[in-house]
């Protein structure tokens, strides 16, 4: 948690003034019992009504000044806590953006969302309470004890016994509950994961009539979370009754001792009332302190979870080579992309997903990648923009090791269209400008034309200003795919990767798309991953994958003549009779 102190540096004034004003309020509160004692011993005992009114006005003034100080403290504490949370949230989001797919796969989306939202909110609440009460409550507790000694030393010994007992209860419960609250947040991760899966996969769940199963699964995980919260809640709930028992027991002893000492004339009635007021103040503050401890315990547990993410180092280090500094794209002898005995093993996986992949693609060539489900097609192309690093072998882009490149700069020159078409809430123009921030309307229109999206975009109200809902819910699957392709094309990449991104397109549109890409004046190196043999049969080079290994490399004719895996795929889509007749 100490690592988070740097996020409060910009709020040093608020961090200092907040507790100061709270301490001023506490000082005025400690003076009140003494004023009360004077009112009883002097004003009421002597029947001096004017003195009683004067002391009453003093108490009202003390209350108003204390209220003003409390409001100022609240303002500073809220400002510092919200600013602190903003800083932590920005830092966490920025750090997560540096994660490779490996870290994302390992940590999981649900836990990252929980830490960005619920955990940071808990820490923010903890900081707010600490600034308001962390100094005030102990100050009141020990201040009340010291003030009790100024009233009567023997009666004040009750405070000396009471406060250590209370400290044992408060801090003992805090130590027990801290790891339990961490477990509660982990259970919250599981509930969030299930909720997210059910919301994103609602159609699949209904299609397979699994609503009851998912409801049961959710209820089981929610019950686990509930049980964990109840258990830690019961322990935390012991704090208030135990503190009440100890303090009320101390009040009984104090009244007894006070009565005895009043009877022998060592104490006045006003002094006994002042001592009882101080004990009551201790009770109230300890209840506040108990709630503060519970909140701080939660905040510390959540802070440690956030810290664990911030301590997670990205497994991939960016190089320093910039594309324009050392890349010779005009040299035909240098392959655009070269895989040299490359293997890939996902973190935590039992075996290799790709094994000993070797091939080279020249600039301007179209490379088709085909294979059965799970053969490693997406894994292969995901290594080109360096979403994953090869565990063995070497990948070169225009003759330079991919690890030498600045990762961000490398990806600026690669157009990647992933399997799942993801669009963001905003206009069509907003989504296209993800590919190129300063893209002109002409550049966007050209990208739409190449991607075969211009026809349907022209029919939308507002064309490029047509609003897209989150995830592209108001578009069909084919429209979404064409827009994601246009988004990649608008940056005019040197390397274009289409990872099964035309699966929702009909054969005619798919063919027109490939022809338009082939005719681009930039002549990019194109990688087409597809389940359709028709989509890749005219590629300059086809890579056939089978269970993570290369089963064949060559042209369509070469593979059809000598690659059994390719023959099986091709003839399953085009029966031999049709091929012969064609």
């Amino acid at each position: 948690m100490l690592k988070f102190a740097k996020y409060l540096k910009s709020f040093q004034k608020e961090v200092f003034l907040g507790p100061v004003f709270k301490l001023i309020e506490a000082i005025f509160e400690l003076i009140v019992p003494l004023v009360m004692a004077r009112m009883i011993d002097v004003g009421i005992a002597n029947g001096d009504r004017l003195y009683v009114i004067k002391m009453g006005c003093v108490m009202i003034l003390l209350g108003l000044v204390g209220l003003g100080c409390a409001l100022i403290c609240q303002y500073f504490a809220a400002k510092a806590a919200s600013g602190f949370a903003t800083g932590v949230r920005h830092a966490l989001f920025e750090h997560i953006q540096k994660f490779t797919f490996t870290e994302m796969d390992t940590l999981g989306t649900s836990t990252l969302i929980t830490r960005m939202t619920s955990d940071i909110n808990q820490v923010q609440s903890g900081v707010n309470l600490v600034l308001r009460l962390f100094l005030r409550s102990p100050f009141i507790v020990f201040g009340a004890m010291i003030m009790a000694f100024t009233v009567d030393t023997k009666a004040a010994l009750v405070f000396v016994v009471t406060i250590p007992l209370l400290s044992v209860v408060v801090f003992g419960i805090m130590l027990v509950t801290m790891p339990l609250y961490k477990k509660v947040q982990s259970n919250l991760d599981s509930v969030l994961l299930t909720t997210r899966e059910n919301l994103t996969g609602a159609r699949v769940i209904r299609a397979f009539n699994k609503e009851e199963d998912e409801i049961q699964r959710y209820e089981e995980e929610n019950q686990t979370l509930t049980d964990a919260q109840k258990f830690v809640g019961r322990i935390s709930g012991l704090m208030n009754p135990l503190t009440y028992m100890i303090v009320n027991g101390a009040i009984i002893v104090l009244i007894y001792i006070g009565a005895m000492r009043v009877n022998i004339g060592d104490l006045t009635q006003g002094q006994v009332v002042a001592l009882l007021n101080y004990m009551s103040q201790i009770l109230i503050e300890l209840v506040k302190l108990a709630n503060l401890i519970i909140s701080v315990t939660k905040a510390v547990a959540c802070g440690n979870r956030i810290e664990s993410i911030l301590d997670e180092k990205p497994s991939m280090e960016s190089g320093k080579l910039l594309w324009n500094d050392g890349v010779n794209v005009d040299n035909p002898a240098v392959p655009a992309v070269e895989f040299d005995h490359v293997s890939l093993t996902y973190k935590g996986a039992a075996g290799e997903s790709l094994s000993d992949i070797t091939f080279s693609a020249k600039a301007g060539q179209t490379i088709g990648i085909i294979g059965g489900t799970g053969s490693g097609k997406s894994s292969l192309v995901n290594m080109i923009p360096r979403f994953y690093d090869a565990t063995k072998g070497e990948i070169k882009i225009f003759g330079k090791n991919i690890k030498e490149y600045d990762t961000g700069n490398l990806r600026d020159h690669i157009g990647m269209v992933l399997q799942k078409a993801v669009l963001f809430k905003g206009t069509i123009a907003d989504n296209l400008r993800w590919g190129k921030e300063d893209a002109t309307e002409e550049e966007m229109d050209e990208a739409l034309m190449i991607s075969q999206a211009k026809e349907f975009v022209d029919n939308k109200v507002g064309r490029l200003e047509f609003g897209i809902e989150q995830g592209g819910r108001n578009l069909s699957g084919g429209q979404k795919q064409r827009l994601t392709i246009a988004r990649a094309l608008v940056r005019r990449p040197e390397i274009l990767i289409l990872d099964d991104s035309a699966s929702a397109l009909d054969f005619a549109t798919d063919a027109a798309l490939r022809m338009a890409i082939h005719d681009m004046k930039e002549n990019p190196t194109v990688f087409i991953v597809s389940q359709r043999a028709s989509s890749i049969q005219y590629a300059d080079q086809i890579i056939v994958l089978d269970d993570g290994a290369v089963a064949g490399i060559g042209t369509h004719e070469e593979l059809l003549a000598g690659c059994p895996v390719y023959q099986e795929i091709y003839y399953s889509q085009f029966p031999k009779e049709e091929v012969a007749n064609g």
Side-chain angles (χ1 to χ4, degrees), residues 14-36:
E14 288 80 4
V15 170
F16 174 74
L17 291 178
V20 166
F21 276 98
K22 208 64 178 175
L23 288 178
I24 294 172
E25 180 212 352
I27 290 169
F28 286 129
E29 192 171 325
L30 290 172
I31 295 172
V32 169
L34 297 181
V35 176
M36 177 71 75

Side-chain angles (χ1 to χ4, degrees), residues 330-553:
D330 298 322
N331 187 352
V334 178
V337 178
E338 184 179 0
F339 276 54
D340 184 13
H341 298 287
V342 170
S343 297
L344 173 66
T345 304
Y346 289 111
K347 189 173 181 180
E352 292 182 337
S353 296
L354 290 173
S355 302
D356 198 31
I357 306 295
T358 300
F359 73 90
S360 63
K362 294 180 180 179
Q365 278 191 332
T366 297
I367 309 298
I369 301 174
I370 197 168
T373 302
S375 58
K377 302 184 297 296
S378 294
S379 298
L380 190 151
V381 293
N382 277 334
M383 289 195 288
I384 297 173
R386 212 181 168 202
F387 291 156
Y388 295 98
D389 267 343
T391 46
K392 293 180 184 176
E394 185 181 45
I395 301 172
K396 293 181 180 179
I397 304 288
F398 287 103
K400 302 288 184 179
N401 190 313
I402 196 169
K403 296 181 180 180
E404 296 179 26
Y405 286 96
D406 176 85
T407 307
N409 184 254
L410 172 69
R411 291 172 184 165
D412 283 339
H413 296 269
I414 297 174
M416 182 80 182
V417 187
L418 299 171
Q419 272 183 311
K420 185 178 179 182
V422 177
L423 295 172
F424 298 90
K425 184 177 176 61
T427 64
I428 290 176
D430 291 337
N431 276 272
L432 292 181
R433 288 195 174 105
W434 274 65
K436 186 181 180 185
E437 193 173 349
D438 57 349
T440 63
E441 188 170 335
E442 291 74 20
E443 288 174 321
M444 288 188 281
D445 279 336
E446 190 176 348
L448 290 170
M449 189 175 293
I450 296 170
S451 67
Q452 310 304 302
K454 194 173 190 305
E455 181 183 354
F456 84 81
V457 170
D458 286 343
N459 292 327
K460 298 291 184 184
V461 178
R463 289 189 73 251
L464 292 173
E465 297 306 313
F466 174 77
I468 296 176
E469 294 182 13
Q470 184 180 3
R473 289 193 302 264
N474 55 339
L475 298 175
S476 70
Q479 289 173 339
K480 286 192 287 187
Q481 282 193 337
R482 281 177 280 174
L483 281 182
T484 55
I485 293 168
R487 183 173 60 194
L489 290 171
V490 79
R491 66 168 48 175
R492 294 292 185 265
E494 280 83 354
I495 299 170
L496 177 64
I497 301 169
L498 304 177
D499 184 4
D500 204 14
S501 53
S503 57
L505 305 184
D506 58 74
F507 285 95
T509 306
D510 184 15
L513 169 66
R514 286 183 280 109
M515 182 64 69
I517 291 173
H518 183 268
D519 293 339
M520 286 175 63
K521 59 180 181 289
E522 289 81 10
N523 197 25
T525 305
V526 182
F527 287 82
I528 300 176
V529 175
S530 182
Q531 300 279 8
R532 296 176 182 171
S534 61
S535 296
I536 53 93
Q537 66 177 336
Y538 298 109
D540 299 302
Q541 190 177 182
I542 299 172
I543 301 171
V544 184
L545 295 178
D546 183 33
D547 197 22
V550 174
I553 296 180

Side-chain angles (χ1 to χ4, degrees), residues 78-128:
K79 185 177 178 182
S82 59
F84 164 83
T86 300
V88 174
R89 194 174 283 112
H90 283 171
L92 184 59
F93 189 79
E94 183 181 350
H95 188 67
I96 289 172
Q97 292 302 313
K98 296 176 183 175
F99 284 165
T100 64
F101 282 17
T102 301
E103 284 80 45
M104 292 292 210
D105 295 340
T106 305
L107 295 170
T109 307
S110 59
T111 187
L112 294 176
I113 292 173
T114 305
R115 296 179 204 213
M116 283 284 297
T117 53
S118 174
D119 286 352
I120 289 181
N121 288 341
Q122 289 281 11
V123 175
Q124 177 181 343
S125 177
V127 170
N128 192 323

Side-chain angles (χ1 to χ4, degrees), residues 1 149 188 250 257 274 302 383 529 534 580:
M1 283 292 289
F149 273 100
L188 181 61
I257 294 173
C302 292
M383 289 195 288
V529 175
S534 61

